[in-house]
Every structure is written in structure tokens, then in C-alpha cells.
């Protein structure tokens, strides 16, 4: 393991109680925590957003056009340019299988090849959400099956844009959705899509 690598660690939790739990996949709790070697230091409180994890799919066609969504996000008060994505909310389901399902449900597409771009933690100071990033190539239309869109997804626009233009938009700060930014920059840095942009 690299000296720069993150590592798992769990500090003692003295007390925990739910702030909000309604049966949905996400819940909010308060933990009273102490440092393992804290001595006489008083325990402290941390708020934790429980989250099952998510996937995001950088789906790129044979012309290096990226499949994108334009979707309203209430918490941020913005309509974002995003990638197909979804929750890992079925017990035992592998992230790549979730990615396949979400690509079909949100964009009506299947992919021939899948490349794991790694994972990232969205906001580890408060959230347990871990996002799995995938690159999907060899796209074919399959339709959405019996998936019915509702709420924000019913107002979602699906479109395509050149990968090079998307990289430029990310670097310019015009496109700011975190999972999209990470997936695009990882694929770009690794040279996995198209000729890339000049340095």
C-alpha cells in the first residue's frame, strides 16, 4: 500500500441515536465519538449521513460523444449536467451491475465494455456515500424496459456532447457536478477516451 493511500480506521462510538430514519435508503444519525488515544479529552459529537453508495457511468459512443443528463437537484437549487447514476440500494448487487441498470433506466442504453475508474467518497466529513465510477463503451439502444420516470427524472433531458468539450467545460468550471468531474478527469488523465486535449 502506498504511503499516500487512504486506510480504513474506526474510532470508538460511545453513543449513537437516529436524527431521521424513515425506511428510505438514506438516514441521519448522531454519534458520540472519542479518539482512541484521547486520554482525558472529552468525547465529541459527529453527524453521519448513512448512504448505501452510488455508481456513475461515463458512457461514451464510437464518436467520443458522452451521454449526459440535465437534471434539477433541489438541495443545490441548480439544474446540473450529469452522468447516468444511481444508488447501490439492492443488497448483494455488484456496483457494475447497478451501473448497467442505471444506464438502461436513465438513458435506454447498454454497453459492451466496462472499465472501472475507481471510487471516491463524496463528503467524508459527514457522509458515508462512496461512489463507484465506470467508463462504458460500445453503446447500443435497448430502451428503458418497464422503468417509469417520475419526480426530477420525469423532467430530465438526455443528450450527448463531445468528450473534449466536456473536459473543457469541467476545466472552465462550467460543469460542476462532483461525480461527473471526477469520472471525466480520471478518464482524460488515463487517456481512455479519444485523443484528449492538448496540454
Amino acid at each position: 500500500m502506498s504511503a499516500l493511500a487512504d486506510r480504513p480506521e474506526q474510532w470508538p462510538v460511545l453513543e449513537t441515536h437516529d436524527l431521521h430514519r424513515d425506511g428510505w435508503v438514506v438516514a441521519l444519525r448522531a454519534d458520540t465519538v472519542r479518539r482512541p488515544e484521547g486520554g482525558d479529552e472529552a468525547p465529541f459529537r459527529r453527524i453521519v449521513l448513512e448512504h448505501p453508495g452510488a455508481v456513475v457511468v461515463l458512457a461514451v459512443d464510437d464518436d467520443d460523444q458522452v451521454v449526459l443528463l440535465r437534471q434539477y437537484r433541489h438541495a443545490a437549487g441548480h439544474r446540473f449536467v450529469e452522468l447516468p447514476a444511481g444508488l447501490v440500494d439492492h443488497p448483494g448487487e455488484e456496483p457494475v451491475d447497478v451501473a448497467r441498470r442505471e444506464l438502461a433506466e436513465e438513458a435506454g442504453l447498454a454497453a459492451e465494455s466496462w472499465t472501472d475508474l475507481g471510487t471516491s467518497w463524496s463528503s467524508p466529513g459527514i457522509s458515508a456515500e462512496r461512489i463507484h465510477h465506470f467508463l462504458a463503451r460500445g453503446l447500443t439502444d435497448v430502451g428503458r424496459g418497464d422503468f417509469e420516470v417520475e419526480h426530477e427524472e420525469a423532467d430530465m433531458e438526455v443528450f450527448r456532447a463531445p468528450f473534449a468539450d466536456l473536459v473543457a467545460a469541467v476545466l472552465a468550471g462550467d460543469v460542476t457536478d462532483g461525480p461527473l468531474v471526477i469520472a471525466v478527469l480520471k478518464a482524460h488523465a488515463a487517456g481512455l477516451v479519444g485523443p484528449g486535449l492538448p496540454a
Side-chain angles (χ1 to χ4, degrees):
M1 179 182 287
S2 163
L4 291 175
D6 301 332
R7 65 178 189 266
E9 185 173 337
Q10 187 66 53
W11 288 7
V13 176
L14 307 180
E15 183 179 76
T16 186
H17 71 275
D18 290 343
L19 300 176
H20 180 77
R21 186 177 303 272
D22 65 1
W24 196 51
V25 294
V26 175
L28 193 65
R29 72 172 197 265
D31 289 348
T32 302
V33 182
R34 70 171 174 82
R35 289 194 299 134
E37 306 299 328
D40 292 334
E41 181 181 84
F44 49 93
R45 188 176 190 231
R46 290 293 177 261
I47 304 300
V48 178
L49 178 67
E50 295 178 5
H51 196 289
V55 300
V56 64
V57 183
L58 178 63
V60 185
D61 66 21
D62 293 341
D63 297 319
D64 287 341
Q65 299 272 324
V66 180
V67 177
L68 297 168
L69 314 174
R70 198 179 308 274
Q71 187 168 0
Y72 172 70
R73 295 298 186 180
H74 183 71
H78 275 68
R79 185 176 292 271
F80 289 96
V81 174
E82 300 182 2
L83 299 173
L87 297 175
V88 182
D89 56 357
H90 291 83
E93 191 172 24
E94 291 296 320
V96 70
D97 294 326
V98 178
R100 288 186 179 100
R101 184 183 75 234
E102 292 298 332
L103 184 60
E105 289 178 354
E106 295 193 342
L109 297 169
E112 184 179 316
S113 70
W114 291 85
T115 302
D116 187 342
L117 296 174
T119 64
S120 65
W121 296 88
S122 297
S123 184
I126 191 170
S127 174
E129 182 183 29
R130 185 178 188 182
I131 298 184
H132 303 264
H133 306 268
F134 293 97
L135 171 64
R137 300 299 303 251
L139 305 180
T140 55
D141 290 313
V142 294
R144 287 180 164 164
D146 59 0
F147 179 72
E148 294 183 20
V149 295
E150 59 181 359
H151 310 303
E152 291 92 346
E153 289 181 341
D155 191 48
M156 182 173 67
E157 174 192 355
V158 181
F159 67 104
R160 297 189 190 196
F163 181 75
D165 290 357
L166 186 56
V167 172
V170 166
L171 294 176
D174 295 331
V175 174
T176 58
D177 175 65
L180 177 148
V181 168
I182 292 169
V184 166
L185 293 182
K186 279 188 167 189
H188 177 59
L192 295 174
V193 181
L197 297 176

